[in-house]
Amino acid sequence: MIPMKKILVTGGAGFIGSAVLRQFLNETDCHVVNVDKLTYAGNLQSLASVSDSPRYAFEKVDICDAAEVARVFREHQPDALMHLAAESHVDRSISGPAEFIQTNIFGTYTLLEAARNHWNNLEGDKKADFRFHHISTDEVYGSLGDEGFFTEDTAYKPNSPYSASKASSDHLVRAWHHSYGLPVVTTNCSNNYGPYHFPEKLIPLVILNAVNGKPLPIYGKGDNIRDWLYVDDHARALRLVLEKGTLGETYNIGGRNEKTNLEVVQTICAILDELRPQGAPHSQLITYVTDRPGHDMRYAIDASKIANDLGWKPLETFDTGLRKTVQWYLSNTDWVQGVTSGDYQNWVQQNYTNRSAT
Ligand code: NAD
Ligand code: DAU
């Protein structure tokens, strides 16, 4: 196993990045530097349980800002980079693609160049052990029919501005490995769910709407299928790939939990009927709404490569993970209140200024 002392994580204030940071700080002795611009999706309150650690540092930096990214590499001298920062919501990419092109493509290019410069200046084991881990999505493969799975060899066929921007970033990472020898690994994961998920995405949106007696919007007929993975299982897989993944390779990550959107929403309603019986039956709130344009029908990951080569398997089933998630949203009212009222962003504005803007 490669000894990783200091990891630079981009997007560490987001849903998955914050899960990765909490694991690093709670379960290892690594130092972590969180590089995050704090867009609407970045929330430092998700890191409140670990941000007092002396092994944690925060840099409020836009990954598209080459000078600031170079400074971060110079000052922190990381042993590895895990790149999660992105615009991540498909619906937003359809209504406004520009930010997705900027952050997901140009931002990844900026990081690749800064990492290449840093890596070129390393020597010996430090140079041999450096890793650029690019975190990507199964959406780059497009949409499946009724049968089959995405493997690492499936052709790229992205359908939304979001997935096209992530596909572009995957290609850049691959090219920096082949052209410059930059030591990279890439992972493509299916739909995550769990605590600290921003409530624009299906699962947290439905939990909070149901608790508040609001409509539960289902796009189209609700028969689109996603393959759900509990976020901590994804974070564990990412750490494993960083430490043991073969350079230049990609690994698919998924939970083998295929569900239609309607099944997901009905299961959340059933859990809430039990935990919050006063609102039962919550399924009466289900409302069918206009479909997402170009809505991919089915995603399903074949995760046998990471299972066979690296020994990863998820710890949560969909039932255990979803119950934990619903319970978390019911118990963590301060976090929910901060996000739904927008207070988390006021707090950031009062406590942080962007260095490049000062
Ligand atoms: P998220 O939207 O919750 O978080 C993204 C984070 O990136 C935020 O903290 C945001 O402030 C930061 N960010 C955005 N633009 C930035 C910029 N220009 N500079 C610096 N920071 C910036 O996203 P997530 O769901 O945690 O996803 C993280 C990564 O994992 C993304 O790359 C996404 O494509 C990928 N992914 C997500 C899922 C999923 O189901 N959520 C599945 C597979 C892959
Ligand atoms: O597959 C991995 C991807 O999963 C990640 O790369 C993305 O960053 C992440 O956002 C997620 O994308 P999806 O588009 O699948 O997630 P979302 O939660 O937006 O939608 C899940 C499904 O639910 C999808 O089929 C659309 C549907 N949906 C979504 C919302 C927000 C609804 O029916 N109603 C809704 O209100």
Side-chain angles (χ1 to χ4, degrees), residues 73-333:
F73 270 91
R74 216 170 36 245
E75 285 183 12
H76 293 283
Q77 295 293 315
D79 298 306
L81 169 85
M82 295 176 85
H83 174 33
L84 293 102
E87 288 294 334
S88 70
H89 191 38
V90 173
D91 292 330
R92 283 180 191 256
S93 83
I94 295 167
S95 55
E99 284 293 316
F100 289 71
I101 307 302
Q102 181 68 4
T103 286
N104 299 359
I105 305 178
F106 188 73
T108 301
Y109 156 73
T110 306
L111 282 171
L112 282 166
E113 280 296 77
R116 182 162 77 95
N117 184 51
H118 170 73
W119 176 68
N120 277 335
N121 289 320
L122 296 175
E123 289 177 350
D125 286 350
K126 278 250 177 206
K127 182 159 191 166
D129 292 346
F130 184 78
R131 294 286 179 276
F132 185 114
H133 180 176
H134 179 57
I135 284 82
S136 191
T137 171
D138 61 354
E139 298 199 10
V140 298
Y141 300 124
S143 185
L144 289 165
D146 290 343
E147 305 211 332
F149 297 90
F150 296 135
T151 73
E152 288 79 3
D153 295 325
T154 302
Y156 274 35
K157 282 189 186 168
N159 290 320
S160 70
Y162 163 69
S163 54
S165 69
K166 291 297 291 187
S168 307
S169 66
D170 292 9
H171 292 322
L172 290 177
V173 171
R174 178 187 161 85
W176 259 242
H177 176 66
H178 281 268
S179 297
Y180 305 116
L182 188 70
V184 309
V185 281
T186 295
T187 47
N188 296 85
C189 189
S190 63
N191 284 63
N192 284 216
Y193 69 100
Y196 303 102
H197 205 180
F198 193 81
E200 63 185 352
K201 309 280 168 66
L202 179 70
I203 287 183
L205 177 85
V206 164
I207 296 171
L208 296 182
N209 278 13
V211 167
N212 293 308
K214 292 184 184 167
L216 312 180
I218 294 198
Y219 298 166
K221 293 190 216 146
D223 53 356
N224 301 69
I225 291 173
R226 297 292 181 265
D227 177 0
W228 294 95
L229 180 67
Y230 193 67
V231 66
D232 289 342
D233 280 326
H234 185 198
R236 238 172 251 114
L238 294 178
R239 286 170 47 209
L240 197 58
V241 171
L242 179 74
E243 287 165 0
K244 293 189 178 168
T246 302
L247 286 189
E249 299 231 345
T250 67
Y251 295 86
N252 282 355
I253 306 171
R256 275 279 164 116
N257 283 310
E258 285 185 60
K259 306 281 173 203
T260 67
N261 294 335
L262 186 56
E263 278 176 289
V264 170
V265 174
Q266 282 170 335
T267 310
I268 293 170
C269 289
I271 296 172
L272 281 171
D273 287 349
E274 194 190 316
L275 301 178
R276 286 284 167 100
Q278 62 273 30
H282 291 86
S283 57
Q284 68 192 331
L285 299 167
I286 289 175
T287 308
Y288 293 90
V289 299
T290 310
D291 208 353
R292 171 185 282 173
H295 197 171
D296 284 341
M297 183 44 91
R298 174 173 168 253
Y299 304 145
I301 283 275
D302 176 349
S304 45
K305 179 176 174 181
I306 187 171
N308 296 336
D309 292 4
L310 306 184
W312 174 82
K313 63 171 196 262
L315 300 180
E316 300 290 344
T317 65
F318 190 63
D319 285 344
T320 60
L322 193 59
R323 183 168 285 269
K324 271 190 187 179
T325 305
V326 173
Q327 280 166 332
W328 187 89
Y329 278 90
L330 295 180
S331 310
N332 287 272
T333 44

Side-chain angles (χ1 to χ4, degrees), residues 52-75:
D52 284 343
S53 167
R55 293 183 286 113
Y56 171 74
F58 174 59
E59 293 279 4
K60 184 177 185 302
V61 164
D62 183 340
I63 58 163
C64 302
D65 184 337
E68 274 292 272
V69 171
R71 176 191 63 75
V72 167
F73 270 91
R74 216 170 36 245
E75 285 183 12

